[in-house]
Amino acid sequence: MEYDSILSEPLYKEVEFYAWEKRLFQTSFVKRLKYLAHFGGGAFVSPVVHSRYEHTVGVWKLAALYFPNHDVLRAAAILHDIGHLPFSHAVEKPLDYNHHALTEAYIQDGEIASILHTADLQSGDVVQYLRQPSPLTGTREVLGLDHLDSFLRDTYMSGRMEELPSEVLKRIHCSDRGVETDKQTGLQLLRLIIRDHELFLSPLLLAVDRLLAEAISILWNNGGGSKEAFAKQTDADVIAILKSSQNLKVRAIIHTI
């Protein structure tokens, strides 16, 4: 099996990849995810500091593992998070964004659409796939691969998981019906889900998100830049802008964080 550091991460075994998938990972839209913390502002005050890029590689690996011949799903796994803002959910509602809409727009951008075309895929088909319940997105009743990676990765990176995720995956199967496993592993997954929620919904992490939203909203309401430009910035870009702001309250908030 060919190994490539661009598609490598430590939690799951290596999987076979197509040349077009590697090209998608090298697009500006996907590479930006390296500079967005998966936990948003929570990365400032918790041990969970991995990026949305690492999460994306993980979701794609799960897709390739369970659905090796489903090219649309594999493409959607790589592209599902590209519309996320700096600090993600912390500022999405205060600034009236919809990261799903941004994701759809970026997928149809020429840089991505041309790569999909080389694999006989249409950007519209990938967009439509992300709009509907699927093994990738899951439903209210069924765990999807997107959330499966989040729960495994977040709890492992925060030291709240007793074994390697790759070992847990040996006891998990996934089909169009969703994730299937034995009772013991199912209970283990439920415990991981609870632990992950206890962390990212803890008062401290929620407070950081709230402070970030307030600082960015103040900046935005005082001519902090164009909406389109902000959506394509990174966490570090926004922190630099907040730290150099002439607004004393904005600087006080970022100093507190």
Side-chain angles (χ1 to χ4, degrees):
M1 181 179 298
E2 184 178 358
Y3 169 84
D4 195 290
S5 59
I6 292 176
L7 307 179
S8 179
E9 58 77 51
L11 301 194
Y12 313 135
K13 69 178 184 179
E14 299 301 314
V15 297
E16 298 279 3
F17 63 87
Y18 298 114
W20 60 265
E21 291 177 308
K22 182 177 177 180
R23 290 180 62 199
L24 283 180
F25 274 106
Q26 292 174 309
T27 62
S28 60
F29 294 98
V30 179
K31 286 196 295 185
R32 186 180 73 96
L33 300 180
K34 295 180 180 183
Y35 309 102
L36 301 183
H38 190 240
F39 253 29
F44 284 113
V45 294
S46 82
V48 184
V49 296
H50 60 274
S51 70
R52 287 201 171 274
Y53 183 89
E54 292 164 276
H55 163 67
T56 294
V57 174
V59 175
W60 165 75
K61 278 189 172 182
L62 293 177
L65 173 66
Y66 292 118
F67 300 92
N69 300 315
H70 198 322
D71 288 355
V72 173
L73 190 159
R74 292 173 65 133
I78 298 172
L79 302 171
H80 78 282
D81 263 1
I82 59 175
H84 271 286
L85 306 170
F87 303 110
S88 302
H89 302 291
V91 298
E92 186 167 346
K93 287 185 178 179
L95 299 184
D96 191 28
Y97 281 93
N98 182 328
H99 77 271
H100 297 295
L102 290 172
T103 295
E104 292 182 3
Y106 297 162
I107 289 174
Q108 297 177 81
D109 180 87
E111 182 182 9
I112 288 177
S114 61
I115 295 173
L116 293 174
H117 183 70
T118 65
D120 293 325
L121 296 174
Q122 300 299 316
S123 56
D125 292 338
V126 178
V127 167
Q128 187 58 40
Y129 187 81
L130 286 171
R131 287 178 177 176
Q132 61 190 21
S134 71
L136 174 63
T137 58
T139 68
R140 293 183 64 88
E141 294 81 24
V142 178
L143 181 64
L145 298 180
D146 182 11
H147 286 149
L148 177 61
D149 176 79
S150 291
F151 298 138
L152 293 174
R153 190 171 302 275
D154 294 349
T155 51
Y156 179 81
M157 297 304 291
S158 63
R160 307 190 74 192
M161 190 172 180
E162 292 80 14
E163 63 178 324
L164 289 172
S166 57
E167 293 301 311
V168 179
L169 289 183
K170 293 177 181 179
R171 304 190 297 274
I172 292 177
H173 303 281
C174 188
S175 67
D176 289 335
R177 297 187 300 275
V179 170
E180 301 173 350
T181 188
D182 59 86
K183 182 178 180 180
Q184 183 177 352
T185 305
L187 291 172
Q188 180 185 10
L189 286 175
L190 288 175
R191 288 193 295 271
L192 296 179
I193 292 170
I194 291 171
R195 290 171 184 174
D196 198 25
H197 280 74
E198 287 174 342
L199 181 57
F200 72 74
L201 295 178
S202 65
L204 178 60
L205 268 67
L206 291 177
V208 173
D209 277 355
R210 179 65 185 83
L211 288 170
L212 273 171
E214 183 176 357
I216 294 171
S217 294
I218 293 172
L219 191 72
W220 181 262
N221 292 330
N222 288 275
S226 73
K227 190 170 184 178
E228 180 179 0
F230 177 83
K232 293 184 178 181
Q233 289 175 332
T234 66
D235 294 351
D237 292 333
V238 175
I239 290 297
I241 293 171
L242 294 175
K243 291 177 71 173
S244 63
S245 171
Q246 298 302 306
N247 188 291
L248 294 179
K249 186 172 183 180
V250 169
R251 292 213 305 270
I253 290 174
I254 197 63
H255 176 74
T256 298
I257 294 173

